[in-house]
Every structure is written in C-alpha cells, then in structure tokens.
C-alpha cells in the first residue's frame, strides 16, 4: 500500500501530488473516517488553500459528514477550535513552512491534536481501497465558526496579563505574510505591548521572506530590533505553530535555546515536569531542564510524535510539555500542541517575571553551538543512505532514535536524518564553539553527500 502521510500530514506541490481529483478522493476517505461525527475545515493563507478547501468541502459532502468552516487562521487556532466547539476532529489545509507552491492536508482528532500516525494509516487504507461511504443525502457546510477569538482568549488566560502590561514591552512581529498576522497583533494589543509589524499582510505567495524562519532570512529583522531598540522580535512560520525569537541585541535565539528559556519558566510555574523533545534539539535543553528539577524524554523528530508522548504522560497524571529545535513549543495547560502565539505570550511573561532581557536570559544558558543544514536527496532511498552511514559509525557511541546520531565525545555530536516532509536529508551538529560546529557539520555533510553519490551510481 502507498504512503500518503509524512511527518505532518499529506504534503506536496499543488498540481503535482496535489491534483484536484486526488484531493477530492482524499477528502472522501477523510469523510468516511469521520463518518457520523462533526469536524471543522480550516486553512492557512496560501494562494491555493481556498481552492483546496472547496474541493475538500465537496469530498466531505459526498460522504455526508457534518462539517464547519473555521476560515483562515493559525494551525494552533484551528486546533484550539476543535476542543472549544466540542467537535470530533478537523482538517487543516496547510503546508506550514514549505515554499508557496506547496500545500497539504493535516488531520486533527478529538482534542484538536494532530491524529497519531496509526490513525492516519486508517484513512490511507480507506483511500487506497476506495471504501468511501455513499450516504442517501449529501451534507453541506454548517456555517462559519470563529477560530481566532476563543484562541486568543485561551492564550491570555494562561499568563499574568497585569505583570506583562506593567513592563511596557516593545516588540516586533514578523508573520512572513502567514496566519500569525491574524492573531499576534491582537494578542499583543490586549497585553499592552507596543508592537511593530513587518511582513504582516496575509499573502499566500510569501513575497517578503520564505515562510520558514531561518537565520539567513532574519537579518533584516535583527537589524530592525536594534534600530527600534525593541525588547525582542518574533518570526513565525507560515501557519504560526512555530516561532523564532531575536533578542534585544539583534541575535537570533534559536528554537532550542528559546525553548530552554521557556522550559525553565514553565518548570518554575508548575514545579516538576517532563519535557518531551525531538532528538534534533541541543543537549543544552536537557542540562537546563534537569538543573530546574525536571526531566527529559527524547523522541523521534516530528510534532505528531511529541504530542502523542505528551498525551501518554498527561494521561498518567504527569505534567508534561514539549519542544522542537525549530521553534515549536508545546505548552500543555493551553493545548498539547506547538503554538507560536502561546510561545509569544509565555516569552513576555518570562521576561516580566525574571526582570531580565532576552539577551541576558540566553547568556545564562550553557554555551553550546548547534548548526544545521540540508542536502537534496531526490529519487534516492534515503533510509539506505542512513543505514550505510550508521554502518560506518557502528563502533562509535550513537543512537538511532531518528536517523543516526553520532557522539564524537561528551558534547560534540552530529545527527543525520531524512526529512519527513521533503525529499531532503537534514544534518545537525553541535559543539562548544561555532568554528568547531561548522567543521563537524561540514564533515557530516560530506559523508552524506558521498553516500548519496555512491547510491546514485548504483541505480
Ligand atoms: Mg508550521
């Protein structure tokens, strides 16, 4: 049987994988899976999202499932709406941080969580076996539901609003013309934060910067923080479930460092807890969490897996939360999912509580430098590439939680793993200096390139 779902739902280029008849049939499979239940359908700002959403409506209608339209909103707002309106699940049309030609479909379960991969398999089975239900009567969209207001109210209920207001913060928001533009400015207004906005007009072609916040596309934002003497800047990804911060001196504070700062704050707020973290994050996260009396569980990379693990712990009565190095932070009292605007509110609360700048809080963290890169691996067995590399390093200390992570010594390591959303292999490296990390990253890149070339020659 084929495989449709990757790390975060079904993703592809519109017109290639995402043909209209494919989307229609996928929606029929989804409608069959949710048969007899009530769901929502929402989207991001992509130029193809409205069209895809209409095709999803048509597919769902053909199965008779009951559905609502939650409009254009951040992914976490659609997720929050599932729970808020007491629905059974949802469909989000989004390709998150991918380039504008991409789009995708993500499924939500009862609490608005991304459904586990085992449930996605059931939808795939219906799709490939063409077991679509055919009701006597078609269903139609039951109307619009607002995902944004309840979501913002949810976020502010989890932070000390007065404490934040008293600080008179000044920040910059960069939504990359994505869905954060619909929420983040409203949130900061309520919290009394003076806010500059750049790239804040929703535009599905992402004309300003790529919808993935990367060090190389945040330089202008860094300069702007210094010029305006702001407390920090926040750069969201396209669907606003992830966010990268820039400190008051214009330095990018990568996701695992900002996540470590937030984790420390969360542990102070809630006492003991377990942080669930994807294996591509810096080992500094573990050091910080343990120094605060918490514990860490490392998982495969991917928000679906992190959410699943968090839910498992919460069900046992253990306080758990999560992070990803790419700027995803899962604050579970709000919802057990990545949430860019929740991270923003928590960061404001952290700065207010600690009475320190983001630069100072980052400086207090262990000095470890992590860098990452990627290499194209189209039409190649990426698992085989990883296997061959793992074989090469079998006598080194390593783990296979996701791809292959090789420890050179106590603090230096590299990780090579296939991306779950694109035909690429991602490479990560860490050490205690930027220079050394660059060297390790280059070394890991060369090994990967070499293995890809060897496999291409064999094909
Ligand atoms: Mg995203």
């Amino acid at each position: 049987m084929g495989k449709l779902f990757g790390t975060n739902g079904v993703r592809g280029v519109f017109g290639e994988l995402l043909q209209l008849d494919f989307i229609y049939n996928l929606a029929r499979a989804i409608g069959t899976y949710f048969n007899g239940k009530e769901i929502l359908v929402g989207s991001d700002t992509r130029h193809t999202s409205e069209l895809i959403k209409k095709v999803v409506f048509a597919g769902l209608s053909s199965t008779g499932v009951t559905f609502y339209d939650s409009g254009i909103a951040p992914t976490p707002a659609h997720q929050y709406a599932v729970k808020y309106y007491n629905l059974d699940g949802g469909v989000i049309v989004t390709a998150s941080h991918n380039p504008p030609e991409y789009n995708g479909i993500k499924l939500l379960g009862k609490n608005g969580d991304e459904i586990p991969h085992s449930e996605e398999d059931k939808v795939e089975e219906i799709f490939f076996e063409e077991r679509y239900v055919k009701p006597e009567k078609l269903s139609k969209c039951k109307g619009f539901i607002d995902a944004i207001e309840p979501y913002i109210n949810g976020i502010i209920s989890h932070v000390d609003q007065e404490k934040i207001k008293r600080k008179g913060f000044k920040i910059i928001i960069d939504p990359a013309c994505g869905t954060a533009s619909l929420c983040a400015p409203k949130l900061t207004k309520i919290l009394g934060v003076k806010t500059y906005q750049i790239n804040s007009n929703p535009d599905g072609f992402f004309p300003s910067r790529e919808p993935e916040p990367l060090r190389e596309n945040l330089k202008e934002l860094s300069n702007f923080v210094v010029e305006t003497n702001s407390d920090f800047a926040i750069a969201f990804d396209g669907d606003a479930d992830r966010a990268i911060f820039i400190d008051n001196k214009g330095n990018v504070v990568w996701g695992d460092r900002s996540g470590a700062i937030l984790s420390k704050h969360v542990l102070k707020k809630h006492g003991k807890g377990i942080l669930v973290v994807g294996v591509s994050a810096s080992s500094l996260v573990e050091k910080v969490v343990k120094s605060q009396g918490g514990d860490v569980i490392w998982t495969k990379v991917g928000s679906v897996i992190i959410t699943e693990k968090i839910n498992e712990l919460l069900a046992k009565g253990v306080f758990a939360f999560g992070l990803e190095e790419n700027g995803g932070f899962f604050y579970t009292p709000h919802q057990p999912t990545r949430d860019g605007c929740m991270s923003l509110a928590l960061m404001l609360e952290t700065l207010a509580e600690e009475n320190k700048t983001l630069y100072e809080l980052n400086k207090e963290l262990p000095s470890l430098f992590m860098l990452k890169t990627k290499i194209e691996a189209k039409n190649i067995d990426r698992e085989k590439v990883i296997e061959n590399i793992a074989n090469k390093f079998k006598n080194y200390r390593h783990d296979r939680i996701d791809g292959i992570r090789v420890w050179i010594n106590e603090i230096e390591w590299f990780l090579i793993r296939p991306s779950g959303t694109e035909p690429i292999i991602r490479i990560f490296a860490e050490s205690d200096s930027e220079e050394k990390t660059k060297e390790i990253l280059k070394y890991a890149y060369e090994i990967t390139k070499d293995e890809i070339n060897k496999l291409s020659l064999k094909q």
Side-chain angles (χ1 to χ4, degrees):
M1 203 168 72
K3 189 87 197 110
L4 300 176
F5 289 87
T7 312
N8 283 110
V10 178
R11 289 269 175 91
V13 172
F14 184 80
E16 290 180 13
L17 171 72
L18 298 181
Q19 305 265 350
L20 295 186
D21 57 343
F22 168 81
I23 297 162
Y24 175 70
N25 286 327
L26 181 59
R28 288 165 81 193
I30 294 167
T32 304
Y33 171 80
F34 283 115
N35 192 19
K37 296 183 171 162
E38 289 198 325
I39 61 172
L40 60 75
V41 185
S43 79
D44 63 12
T45 59
R46 279 169 196 272
H47 65 284
T48 53
S49 289
E50 269 302 299
L51 172 61
I52 294 176
K53 201 165 89 174
K54 288 285 184 305
V55 179
V56 169
F57 278 11
L60 293 177
S61 290
S62 77
T63 66
V65 73
T66 304
F67 61 97
Y68 296 84
D69 180 1
S70 56
I72 300 174
T75 289
H78 294 301
Q79 294 182 277
Y80 193 81
V82 171
K83 204 170 175 177
Y84 182 80
Y85 292 103
N86 205 14
L87 301 173
D88 301 300
V91 182
I92 309 179
V93 179
T94 179
S96 179
H97 60 279
N98 290 145
E101 61 272 25
Y102 279 78
N103 216 319
I105 286 181
K106 199 191 214 25
L107 298 186
L108 306 177
K110 186 144 184 61
N111 295 317
D113 305 341
E114 295 167 86
I115 64 168
H117 294 314
S118 54
E119 291 299 303
E120 290 172 342
D121 291 346
K122 292 179 187 168
V123 178
E124 280 181 4
E125 240 175 74
I126 300 167
F127 176 87
F128 287 111
E129 291 169 9
E130 299 180 19
R131 274 192 291 110
Y132 312 124
V133 288
K134 288 196 184 76
E136 281 178 12
K137 211 170 153 232
L138 301 179
S139 58
K140 64 175 187 179
C141 179
K142 288 193 86 171
F144 179 78
I145 49 171
D146 176 27
I148 291 177
E149 204 186 318
Y151 167 67
I152 293 175
N153 289 338
I155 291 172
I156 57 171
S157 72
H158 292 291
V159 291
D160 189 333
Q161 296 175 49
E162 291 313 310
K163 197 170 245 174
I164 294 171
K165 279 181 194 161
R166 278 200 298 274
K167 292 298 285 185
F169 288 121
K170 183 166 69 175
I171 70 161
I172 308 170
I173 287 171
D174 174 1
C177 302
T179 52
S181 53
L182 305 168
C183 281
K186 288 181 184 163
L187 174 67
T188 52
K189 194 173 176 194
I190 296 170
L191 293 173
V193 175
K194 184 173 178 188
T195 306
Y196 296 106
Q197 298 179 50
I198 67 166
N199 308 325
S200 210
N201 289 325
D203 187 328
F205 291 93
F206 306 110
S208 52
R209 69 158 166 86
E210 288 168 73
E212 177 160 27
L214 300 168
R215 280 178 199 278
E216 47 275 29
N217 61 28
L218 298 178
K219 291 197 175 108
E220 202 189 340
L221 189 57
S222 288
N223 294 337
F224 198 27
V225 180
V226 179
E227 280 165 25
T228 55
N229 201 18
S230 295
D231 290 293
F232 63 83
I234 180 166
F236 293 89
D237 81 327
D239 66 334
D241 54 0
R242 297 199 271 125
I244 294 293
F245 291 90
I246 295 175
D247 74 19
N248 47 308
K249 293 200 177 188
N251 306 299
V252 173
V253 183
W254 198 249
D256 34 17
R257 299 188 76 86
S258 62
I261 291 167
L262 296 180
S263 297
K264 213 169 161 180
H265 178 63
V266 168
L267 285 167
K268 278 187 188 172
K269 240 171 118 109
H270 296 274
K272 272 187 174 172
I274 295 182
L275 176 74
V276 181
V277 53
V279 75
S280 58
S282 167
S283 51
L284 77 86
V285 168
E286 184 164 342
K287 289 185 175 66
V288 169
V289 167
K290 286 193 169 160
S291 73
Q292 206 59 45
D295 217 338
V296 167
I297 292 178
W298 294 95
T299 67
K300 259 181 180 297
V301 173
S303 59
V304 177
I305 294 163
I306 294 177
T307 293
E308 215 179 331
K309 189 75 200 168
I310 286 175
N311 282 337
E312 200 185 301
L313 293 164
L314 292 176
K316 287 184 197 157
V318 178
F319 177 69
F321 57 110
L323 80 78
E324 292 184 310
E325 61 78 33
N326 59 14
F329 195 77
F330 308 60
Y331 184 58
T332 51
H334 175 55
Q335 54 181 351
T337 184
R338 308 182 280 196
D339 193 325
C341 284
M342 186 69 240
S343 306
L344 168 57
L346 274 178
M347 186 57 86
L348 289 165
E349 189 183 56
T350 306
L351 298 188
E353 185 76 45
E354 297 292 324
N355 207 16
K356 285 176 183 164
T357 64
L358 182 52
Y359 174 81
E360 287 166 342
L361 290 174
N362 189 26
K363 261 276 190 250
E364 289 173 2
L365 299 177
S367 311
L368 288 172
F369 292 87
M370 199 175 77
L371 291 170
K372 62 175 177 174
T373 186
K374 57 189 175 186
I375 184 163
E376 202 166 284
K378 260 186 188 157
N379 307 320
I380 203 110
D381 184 350
R382 292 176 296 154
E383 291 300 336
K384 186 76 191 145
V385 173
I386 304 295
E387 277 311 313
N388 290 349
I389 296 169
N391 234 334
K392 218 179 203 136
F393 291 95
K394 61 175 188 275
N395 296 327
Y396 283 72
R397 179 186 158 202
H398 66 275
D399 68 64
R400 298 294 310 273
I401 297 172
D402 196 350
I404 168 86
R405 167 141 69 165
V406 178
W407 292 84
I408 299 162
N409 55 40
E410 269 308 296
I411 49 169
E412 296 170 7
W413 56 265
F414 62 84
L415 167 72
I416 303 171
R417 58 169 291 269
S419 159
T421 51
E422 292 168 88
I424 56 172
I425 290 177
R426 295 194 186 276
I427 304 164
F428 303 76
E430 183 167 80
S431 79
D432 58 1
S433 83
E434 198 173 344
E435 280 311 297
K436 221 183 289 168
T437 303
K438 275 185 186 161
E439 266 173 45
I440 300 169
L441 193 71
K442 190 163 173 267
Y443 173 70
Y445 182 90
E446 292 300 331
I447 294 166
T448 313
K449 198 170 126 198
D450 203 39
E451 285 304 330
I452 290 174
N453 288 343
K454 274 191 213 159
L455 273 183
S456 324
L457 285 175
K458 276 186 196 164
Q459 278 180 357

